[in-house]
Amino acid sequence: MLPNLTNPKHFKMSDINKLQNNAEGAEEINNTNNELNNTESTNNTSAEVDDFESTVNSKEESNLKESDDVDKLPNETDTKDEEITEEKASATENDEVINEIEESNAEDAEDEGNKERHTIEVKEYDSMSLEALAIELEKLLKTEKVQAIKKHVDSINGEFKTKFQALIDEKKEEFLNDGGNEIDFYYSSPVQKRFKEAHREYRKKLNDHYKSLEQNLKQNLADKLEIIEELKGLLNLEENINTTYKHFKELQERWRNTGPIPRDKYNNAWNSYHHHVEMFYDFLHLNRDLRDLDFKHNLEKKLLIIERAEELAKDDDAMRSFRELQELHKMWKEELGPVGREHREEIWERFKAATKIINDKRQVYYKEIDKIYEKNLENKLEIIAKIDALNTQQTNSHGGWQKRIKEVEELRDQFFNAGKVPIKVNEATWAKFKDAVRTFNRQKNAFYKGLKKDQYKNLQLKLDLIKVAEDNKESEDFETVTPLMKKIQSDWKKIGHVPRKDSDKIWKRFKAACNYYFDRIHSKRNAASQEQVEAYNKKNGFLTSLKDLKLPKDKEKGVEILKEQIKQWQSIGRVPNDKRYIDGKFQKTIDGLLTTLKVDKTEAEMIKYENKLDSLVNPDDTKNLDNERNYIRKKIDEVKGQINQLENNLQFFTNVDEDNPLVKEVHTNIKKHKQDLDVWKAKLKKIKGFY
């Protein structure tokens, strides 16, 4: 039964051994002259190779010349030259693909434990945030072998540095806009610290890995060179051919079991090894049946590899097919021996043909990727153009600049999420983007530097208000200072922005001074409230006792008693605002008692007013008395105006009887207003007596 080739990783020496019972060799020689450096044994081998090849090449050249003489007709010369040129170009292209595969396998061979290098998912690191990049790096370190993630880590590290530098530039501009000095700028963030720790761990693990690997690689190389030397010695042994062949098989097994070697020695070592294996077969004149059986089994196995390659050539997943093709080339070279000379060129050309088809599909895939990259480039250039367009706009307000800043931040995010661009224009595109953003930032900085001047003026204005607040916060003149404190609070709101670094500090000073003052007022009011409650209780009791007051029949004595009652009432003090109705009750009670003394309204009003004036008079401060005088004059003017209006209204009632209800009402109102006018004039005269 043929081995399963669906997964080439299972197609190893265990499968080959089922088909082979005897001989096993190595791969055909791509470059027999590549020898290991700095080894005397290899130099000796090169001499043997030259002797052997000179014989073979002379025969091949003779055959080629004879073939050319027969096949090449005079009129076909140009056509033949073109065909040869095309063949050379095709061969060169194939050689490049083969070399690429061999270089990749050589890298893989340096560490045989690294078998999953091609299966790690390559994510769109350019669209990730800083935090997402740090998390992805930590995840790779935790789940993958350190030697397998170098390309991933390099990509992640590059993206992180680019995005973090952009963030630093932004923070630096903010710092400078706030009045900071460039030499004092410093910025770090938790995500930066997190990424640095992960990257530091990666470098440590990688160094530890290579330190442990280096010694093993050197020893394995020495072991393989020793095997090559022993292979060379087999040609000169004078012993039974079966014993020699058994020794040969043991050397092959030792070669396979020897661990990885340095990648820069990989191809030379394999080529030298295969060369000496073929030398052994070519000079093995005895027991040709055994050799032919070995060739047959190797041919069968290589045909299976070719068939699998041809199946992969039909697969639509170009990248997956190419990865598996690398494994097939590795098996062809490392695990299989030579075939008969008559088949070598044929099967190798067939294998190369399948390789070319798979590689062509890979190139088509890359071209499709290039189209995506070109589209990403278009998007990024459009984003840069939008930023350039914003740079041409004129903005002269803080609000306008905040809007533009938000737009540029959105465009920056779009740029970073737009995906990769062709590598040949990557640096140029990034430079254009940085230049556009830098131009925007310069314009923004210029605006805010100008704004700084206004902000420092505003700062001085607010400092002046703070001084007023702090100078008056201890004042006891609440009536004068309270309006002042309210005014400076209103003025504070009207003053514009100040530098951000001072904003909180001065606001706290101003607020503290204002709060201190108003807290004192509130504490005074709370104390006064208790006094007012007590005053209300006293007035309530006083009012109750007043109802039982008995006045003498003598009018003057009765008036004097009532004046004394009024003084006592006023001496009790103010009551809470919601209890002031008790003053009205007192006035009604006094009015009733004055009525019993047959005192007219004007005289009664003046009796009550005299007591009010006594409370207003202050030899050191006439402010309250002045306010009262101004108030009375205003009332006199209002009453006179009302009387004039009513008298003018009477002119409209021509030829109307005096008994008409409307006319009578107007006369009544005029009379009432004149009485009020006499009272206000008497009050004004009374006030003038205090000056």
Side-chain angles (χ1 to χ4, degrees):
M1 178 182 296
L2 295 178
N4 179 16
L5 280 179
T6 303
N7 185 349
K9 294 178 182 179
H10 299 300
F11 182 30
K12 301 294 183 180
M13 288 305 301
S14 58
D15 298 318
I16 296 175
N17 290 335
K18 294 179 182 180
L19 294 175
Q20 291 181 251
N21 294 320
N22 297 305
E24 181 173 7
E27 183 198 62
E28 55 191 345
I29 303 172
N30 289 326
N31 183 8
T32 57
N33 289 323
N34 286 333
E35 296 298 328
L36 293 177
N37 297 326
N38 303 322
T39 60
E40 182 179 354
S41 59
T42 304
N43 293 332
N44 295 333
T45 301
S46 297
E48 296 174 3
V49 173
D50 292 340
D51 292 340
F52 172 70
E53 284 192 332
S54 61
T55 303
V56 175
N57 290 339
S58 62
K59 293 181 179 180
E60 289 179 349
E61 289 174 3
S62 176
N63 291 334
L64 286 173
K65 288 178 180 179
E66 291 176 2
S67 175
D68 288 342
D69 292 339
V70 174
D71 296 334
K72 194 172 182 180
L73 298 178
N75 60 349
E76 294 178 339
T77 302
D78 294 338
T79 305
K80 270 294 183 181
D81 289 341
E82 292 176 1
E83 291 176 355
I84 291 172
T85 301
E86 292 176 359
E87 288 174 0
K88 287 182 178 179
S90 178
T92 300
E93 181 181 352
N94 280 342
D95 288 344
E96 290 177 356
V97 178
I98 301 302
N99 290 337
E100 179 184 350
I101 293 173
E102 289 187 349
E103 285 298 322
S104 177
N105 287 337
E107 180 181 351
D108 227 3
E110 188 174 62
D111 183 4
E112 291 183 342
N114 180 13
K115 299 301 183 184
E116 302 298 324
R117 178 169 59 88
H118 297 293
T119 62
I120 301 175
E121 180 184 3
V122 179
K123 298 182 179 179
E124 295 181 356
Y125 301 123
D126 56 315
S127 64
M128 290 185 176
S129 65
L130 291 172
E131 185 175 5
L133 290 169
I135 292 173
E136 183 63 22
L137 178 56
E138 292 171 342
K139 180 181 176 183
L140 288 172
L141 285 172
K142 184 177 180 181
T143 59
E144 304 292 346
K145 293 180 179 180
V146 68
Q147 65 269 28
I149 60 175
K150 183 179 185 302
K151 292 182 180 179
H152 301 268
V153 174
D154 289 346
S155 297
I156 292 172
N157 188 44
E159 290 296 336
F160 188 92
K161 286 182 177 179
T162 297
K163 292 186 176 182
F164 191 75
Q165 184 60 48
L167 178 62
I168 287 179
D169 292 342
E170 180 181 341
K171 295 297 182 183
K172 185 176 182 179
E173 287 160 14
E174 292 179 0
F175 177 77
L176 296 178
N177 289 339
D178 290 337
N181 192 328
E182 184 172 1
I183 196 173
D184 297 325
F185 175 75
Y186 174 77
Y187 178 78
S188 64
S189 71
V191 70
Q192 180 196 28
K193 181 179 179 182
R194 180 177 182 179
F195 185 84
K196 281 185 174 180
E197 288 177 353
H199 198 262
R200 194 178 298 114
E201 180 184 356
Y202 163 73
R203 291 200 305 268
K204 182 180 182 302
K205 283 187 174 182
L206 192 63
N207 288 336
D208 291 345
H209 166 74
Y210 283 124
K211 283 180 182 179
S212 63
L213 183 63
E214 184 178 7
Q215 189 61 37
N216 290 334
L217 294 176
K218 290 181 179 179
Q219 184 59 49
N220 293 339
L221 177 61
D223 292 343
K224 289 199 172 185
L225 292 177
E226 183 179 346
I227 292 171
I228 291 173
E229 286 298 309
E230 293 186 37
L231 276 175
K232 289 166 57 178
L234 291 180
L235 301 179
N236 300 320
L237 289 178
E238 295 181 0
E239 60 182 4
N240 184 278
I241 190 61
N242 291 328
T243 303
T244 303
Y245 186 75
K246 182 179 179 182
H247 190 184
F248 170 72
K249 295 299 292 180
E250 290 173 353
L251 291 176
Q252 282 189 310
E253 187 65 23
R254 279 172 55 193
W255 179 274
R256 285 193 294 268
N257 294 333
T258 302
I261 62 175
R263 72 180 69 176
D264 59 334
K265 309 296 184 183
Y266 174 78
N267 281 324
N268 285 342
W270 273 104
N271 288 334
S272 181
Y273 169 74
H274 291 160
H275 164 69
H276 289 98
V277 168
E278 288 193 353
M279 289 281 289
F280 178 80
Y281 279 115
D282 289 337
F283 287 96
L284 187 63
H285 298 292
L286 300 177
N287 208 344
R288 288 183 177 275
D289 291 339
L290 188 62
R291 184 191 66 174
D292 292 343
L293 181 61
D294 217 10
F295 283 171
K296 178 183 178 182
H297 290 166
N298 290 337
L299 176 63
E300 291 176 355
K301 201 61 175 180
K302 287 191 174 183
L303 288 173
L304 289 176
I305 290 177
I306 293 170
E307 290 172 3
R308 178 56 183 164
E310 291 171 344
E311 290 177 10
L312 291 175
K314 300 175 183 178
D315 193 343
D316 293 331
D317 192 332
M319 297 308 295
R320 182 182 63 194
S321 298
F322 190 80
R323 286 194 295 269
E324 189 171 335
L325 178 67
Q326 288 178 282
E327 291 292 332
L328 295 177
H329 274 270
K330 187 175 182 179
M331 292 164 57
W332 182 288
K333 182 172 184 177
E334 297 181 14
E335 300 183 10
L336 297 177
V339 300
R341 284 188 174 276
E342 68 276 14
H343 299 296
R344 289 180 188 177
E345 183 176 356
E346 177 187 354
I347 63 172
W348 176 241
E349 291 300 325
R350 184 177 168 189
F351 190 33
K352 284 205 298 184
T355 297
K356 183 178 184 305
I357 293 173
I358 295 171
N359 183 62
D360 289 346
K361 287 188 174 182
R362 185 177 66 136
Q363 296 306 318
V364 171
Y365 170 81
Y366 283 143
K367 289 180 180 178
E368 294 299 319
I369 293 295
D370 288 342
K371 290 180 181 178
I372 295 175
Y373 287 176
E374 289 292 341
K375 183 63 178 177
N376 294 342
L377 176 61
E378 291 179 10
N379 293 337
K380 287 193 171 183
L381 292 177
E382 288 178 4
I383 292 169
I384 295 171
K386 290 179 180 178
I387 298 176
D388 288 335
L390 285 174
N391 291 338
T392 63
Q393 297 179 5
Q394 296 296 324
T395 306
N396 297 315
S397 67
H398 172 69
W401 270 104
Q402 290 302 306
K403 180 180 178 182
R404 285 179 65 182
I405 289 170
K406 185 177 180 181
E407 290 176 352
V408 170
E409 287 177 350
E410 291 175 352
L411 290 171
R412 283 179 68 257
D413 291 339
Q414 292 176 21
F415 184 89
F416 285 129
N417 294 329
K420 295 182 180 180
V421 300
I423 191 170
K424 62 183 179 180
V425 296
N426 185 51
E427 290 187 7
T429 307
W430 174 243
K432 286 182 181 179
F433 173 72
K434 286 198 298 184
D435 184 62
V437 173
R438 191 178 295 113
T439 300
F440 172 81
N441 289 332
R442 280 199 295 263
Q443 293 178 358
K444 180 184 68 174
N445 292 343
F447 169 78
Y448 280 105
K449 283 180 181 177
L451 195 62
K452 287 294 180 187
K453 297 179 181 178
D454 295 334
Q455 290 181 347
Y456 281 111
K457 291 180 182 178
N458 295 337
L459 175 62
Q460 188 57 50
L461 292 174
K462 288 193 173 183
L463 288 174
D464 293 341
L465 294 183
I466 290 173
K467 188 175 187 307
V468 174
E470 291 178 341
D471 289 346
N472 290 276
K473 68 179 183 179
E474 298 284 0
S475 175
E476 296 291 338
D477 187 1
F478 297 122
E479 290 187 10
T480 303
V481 174
T482 298
L484 174 64
M485 297 296 277
K486 290 182 177 179
K487 181 179 182 302
I488 64 175
Q489 285 181 325
S490 176
D491 291 344
W492 182 281
K493 295 177 182 178
K494 295 175 183 177
I495 298 174
H497 294 284
V498 301
R500 186 182 303 176
K501 62 186 177 67
D502 300 306
S503 180
D504 288 344
K505 180 172 61 177
I506 64 172
W507 166 244
K508 288 177 181 178
R509 280 184 61 189
F510 183 71
K511 183 179 178 183
C514 292
N515 287 348
Y516 180 84
Y517 174 78
F518 285 107
D519 287 345
R520 289 179 58 243
I521 290 182
H522 295 152
S523 63
K524 290 276 188 181
R525 285 178 179 174
N526 291 337
S529 297
Q530 184 61 33
E531 294 176 1
Q532 290 173 1
V533 171
E534 293 176 358
Y536 170 75
N537 292 333
K538 289 180 181 179
K539 283 187 174 183
N540 201 30
F542 186 88
L543 189 59
T544 301
S545 64
L546 192 61
K547 292 178 181 179
D548 299 330
L549 179 65
K550 300 296 183 181
L551 294 175
K553 291 182 180 180
D554 188 296
K555 179 181 177 181
E556 292 183 1
K557 291 182 179 179
V559 169
E560 290 298 326
I561 291 173
L562 289 178
K563 286 182 177 180
E564 184 63 29
Q565 296 297 315
I566 292 172
K567 286 182 180 180
Q568 291 182 22
W569 178 270
Q570 290 177 343
S571 66
I572 294 174
R574 297 182 62 183
V575 299
N577 291 335
D578 60 342
K579 304 294 184 182
R580 286 186 178 180
Y581 61 84
I582 199 170
D583 289 328
K585 288 184 178 183
F586 175 74
Q587 295 297 335
K588 287 181 180 180
T589 302
I590 294 297
D591 288 342
L593 292 172
L594 288 172
T595 301
T596 61
L597 293 174
K598 296 181 180 180
V599 177
D600 62 34
K601 182 178 179 182
T602 300
E603 186 180 0
E605 187 67 28
M606 292 306 298
I607 291 172
K608 293 185 287 184
Y609 190 66
E610 286 176 1
N611 287 316
K612 179 180 180 181
L613 287 178
D614 289 339
S615 65
L616 295 176
V617 174
N618 185 348
D620 299 326
D621 187 0
T622 62
K623 179 180 177 180
N624 292 334
L625 202 61
D626 292 339
N627 290 338
E628 181 67 16
R629 183 177 60 180
N630 293 333
Y631 173 72
I632 291 174
R633 283 175 174 172
K634 183 177 178 182
K635 294 301 294 186
I636 289 172
D637 292 338
E638 288 179 0
V639 173
K640 284 182 179 179
Q642 291 171 349
I643 291 172
N644 290 334
Q645 182 65 42
L646 289 172
E647 289 176 345
N648 291 333
N649 290 342
L650 284 176
Q651 297 177 9
F652 292 101
F653 294 100
T654 56
N655 300 323
V656 179
D657 188 55
E658 293 289 332
D659 293 332
N660 185 288
L662 291 176
V663 175
K664 291 175 68 176
E665 182 180 358
V666 171
H667 282 294
T668 300
N669 287 336
I670 291 174
K671 181 180 179 181
K672 179 179 178 299
H673 285 309
K674 286 183 176 181
Q675 290 175 348
D676 291 339
L677 182 61
D678 292 338
V679 173
W680 288 116
K681 287 181 178 180
K683 288 182 178 181
L684 180 61
K685 183 178 179 181
K686 198 74 174 177
I687 290 176
K688 290 180 178 180
F690 287 96
Y691 285 93

